[in-house]
Amino acid sequence: MSTASSIPEPCGQATPLLQIKDLTVDFDLPGGWSRCLHGVNLEIDPGEILGLVGESGCGKSVTCMATLQLLGPKALVQGQITFERQNLLDLDEKGITAVRGSGIAMIFQDPVSSLNPVHTIGRQIVESIRMNVSANNSRAVSQVRKTAEQLLTRIGIPEAQQRLKAYPHQLSGGMNQRAMIAMALAGRPRLLIADEPTTALDVTIQAQILELIKDLRTELGMSIILVTHDLSVVAETCDRMAVMYCGRIVEEGPVQHMFSDPRHPYTRGLLTSLPRIDRRSRPLVPIKGSVPAPDEMPPGCAFAPRCQFALDECANRHPALVSMGEERRIACFNPQRGEI
């Protein structure tokens, strides 16, 4: 791929492309309203790759879907989501539809269920291209199909012209994921949200997809939010990392600092529960306990019942996400320092 385009200014030197402030999400369940997100604060700069990590159920995907208003009528979304100086929560359906695809695109963790099984890959990519073409910019079918073929070639699918005629079940998981990326790129978005893009793929294909994502950032200059459980993926791919726990951001900072000097006990727990190749005899240290249910949240810090460094005040009130230098933000009354 061409790398002629330069990456925009590094984080901290530009106006954020996307800024989320005090985002809360409540779901209308049979037993009543249940809060899933408890005031998420997050931002991403132009050209940046942000890794969003945390255990299953911590709110990563909900945060991303709330950004594009994809949660449906049973969800109450409040707060502020500013994209290119426009609050997305103020937009009606027509307004947010104009943002989807051309402004912010999203690829999902299961491409097989996200693609329509009764339509060819080509038809689905062509539809995506047409949805993102201006109404006064009429293009012939042959031109649109040629663009679809060029997209498949760009994201590394061989014999693109033949692949356009294939159905999702005729392609491998890696090929389907690449097709999803091609559909996302049809509108040349400024922000790409990749929700677990390497789930269920073998290691070789994972590496290819991640390399593709990095190349697209370099070529197109777009920002990327990479949602993943795999911390090695974050270390290899991302510029900055945000750690979520129970619907809140608990720590955020540059990847190199987060891995070398994690401050929040939960971040340290995630890292110590993973094997390392640089230490032969280091035992794994799992995080004790389990994530509380949404209706069983403790009155203070949600991680306090599982935290070996908890103080008395941790049980009574929740710490705010505050800056601690080095472009770091941490929500903890007793942050730790040093090598783990």
Side-chain angles (χ1 to χ4, degrees), residues 19-301:
Q19 191 170 39
I20 299 174
K21 289 185 177 180
D22 302 322
L23 178 65
T24 63
V25 174
D26 298 85
F27 287 102
D28 186 9
L29 302 177
W33 287 92
S34 178
R35 176 152 293 186
C36 177
L37 298 185
H38 302 264
V40 171
N41 291 279
L42 194 64
E43 61 184 43
I44 181 168
D45 291 333
E48 179 183 32
I49 302 182
L50 172 70
L52 190 58
V53 305
E55 293 175 270
S56 296
C58 69
K60 304 185 299 297
S61 295
V62 171
T63 300
C64 295
M65 295 183 73
T67 300
L68 287 173
Q69 297 187 27
L70 295 174
L71 294 176
K74 292 289 186 178
L76 175 63
V77 182
Q78 296 177 299
Q80 184 175 341
I81 303 176
T82 304
F83 177 70
E84 295 183 329
R85 299 182 175 85
Q86 182 179 36
N87 187 3
L88 300 184
L89 297 184
D90 291 339
L91 302 179
D92 57 14
E93 184 61 28
K94 182 178 180 180
I96 193 64
T97 299
V99 173
R100 296 171 185 155
S102 60
I104 305 175
M106 186 169 180
I107 56 176
F108 300 92
Q109 58 182 296
D110 185 3
V112 175
S113 62
S114 299
L115 293 169
N116 193 324
V118 301
H119 294 309
T120 63
I121 294 296
R123 178 171 178 176
Q124 295 179 67
I125 297 177
V126 165
E127 180 183 14
S128 182
I129 294 171
R130 288 194 175 280
M131 289 182 64
N132 289 286
V133 171
S134 175
N136 59 6
N137 185 13
S138 177
R139 303 174 66 182
V141 174
S142 60
Q143 288 181 301
V144 176
R145 196 164 184 84
K146 185 65 176 179
T147 301
E149 183 180 337
Q150 291 170 347
L151 281 173
L152 287 186
T153 300
R154 169 187 281 177
I155 52 92
I157 292 184
E159 301 178 351
Q161 191 173 20
Q162 296 301 316
R163 301 298 183 185
L164 289 174
K165 303 174 185 178
Y167 289 87
H169 73 272
Q170 295 175 309
L171 301 179
S172 66
M175 288 288 190
N176 278 314
Q177 190 61 276
R178 288 174 185 268
M180 284 288 297
I181 295 174
M183 292 174 64
L185 295 178
R188 297 187 67 86
R190 275 84 73 195
L191 173 62
L192 176 66
I193 300 175
D195 188 359
E196 299 279 2
T198 59
T199 297
L201 302 179
D202 63 59
V203 176
T204 302
I205 302 302
Q206 283 186 30
Q208 293 175 0
I209 294 296
L210 293 174
E211 192 64 30
L212 171 63
I213 288 174
K214 290 192 292 184
D215 286 346
L216 291 172
R217 187 270 291 267
T218 302
E219 180 183 350
L220 303 177
M222 65 182 177
S223 303
I224 299 171
I225 297 178
L226 181 62
V227 178
T228 182
H229 290 94
D230 193 335
L231 293 178
S232 63
V233 167
V234 174
E236 177 69 23
T237 310
C238 300
D239 305 307
R240 195 159 50 89
M241 180 169 80
V243 181
M244 289 194 74
Y245 185 77
C246 290
R248 289 183 172 93
I249 302 295
V250 296
E251 186 171 5
E252 177 190 348
V255 165
Q256 63 270 27
H257 296 313
M258 295 283 283
F259 278 82
S260 63
D261 183 21
R263 306 283 182 84
H264 196 283
Y266 178 61
T267 308
R268 297 174 72 89
L270 290 178
L271 293 172
T272 56
S273 63
L274 295 174
R276 292 177 57 166
I277 62 174
D278 59 341
R279 298 179 185 175
R280 293 185 178 180
S281 59
R282 177 182 176 275
L284 298 183
V285 183
I287 302 175
K288 297 181 179 180
S290 58
V291 179
D295 58 348
E296 297 178 354
M297 288 292 178
C301 175

